[in-house]
Amino acid sequence: VQLQASGGGLVQAGGFLRLSCAASGNIFRIEDMGWYRQPPGKQRELVAVISKDGETYYADSVKGRSTISRDNAKKMMALQMNNLKLDDTAVYSCKVGARPTDSYSFRDYWGQGTQVTVSS
């Protein structure tokens, strides 16, 4: 299972961005999909997660200005973030809980991080 994240970059405060994460490989099923971020000098934190049934959870810091979505058929996930703040600067990574076709077990898979920098 491989994850490819994209969409990061330099954005002005108050702006918006859309991050995407595409899963590929021999995947039998994907359960939860989520975005995490690691701000400079801080620990990684959960941003948002979406279940296979579409139930969502958002961290308080992004609630109300972010939307997580997924396309199960395409095995893709997206995170739309609006009204970006300086504190949103971080490396964003996607994670999925998936079962590959050659296994009966689910495990977490991580994509490479994508840098988001919010400037004033």
Side-chain angles (χ1 to χ4, degrees):
V1 178
Q2 296 84 42
L3 301 179
Q4 181 68 46
S6 60
L10 178 63
V11 186
Q12 280 195 323
F16 68 93
L17 59 75
R18 182 178 177 85
L19 302 177
S20 296
C21 180
S24 62
N26 298 321
I27 302 170
F28 179 78
R29 191 165 77 210
I30 296 176
E31 295 289 333
D32 290 352
M33 306 180 79
W35 287 96
Y36 292 73
R37 68 185 182 186
Q38 186 166 19
K42 297 183 179 180
Q43 292 187 333
R44 185 164 58 194
E45 61 188 23
L46 172 67
V47 178
V49 65
I50 183 168
S51 72
K52 61 180 176 60
D53 298 321
E55 295 180 352
T56 59
Y57 169 85
Y58 298 92
D60 288 342
S61 58
V62 304
K63 192 178 298 182
R65 58 188 182 93
S66 300
T67 303
I68 188 171
S69 60
R70 66 188 281 172
D71 184 326
N72 290 331
K74 296 181 179 179
K75 299 183 178 62
M76 294 186 68
M77 168 180 62
L79 178 69
Q80 175 84 21
M81 294 185 66
N82 302 318
N83 189 22
L84 285 166
K85 307 177 185 301
L86 297 180
D87 287 345
D88 292 322
T89 295
V91 175
Y92 286 71
S93 301
C94 56
K95 186 188 84 168
V96 304
R99 174 188 158 186
T101 55
D102 61 353
S103 172
Y104 290 104
S105 300
F106 283 87
R107 54 157 285 194
D108 290 334
Y109 294 85
W110 289 87
Q112 91 289 357
T114 182
Q115 177 70 46
V116 172
T117 302
V118 182
S119 64
S120 58

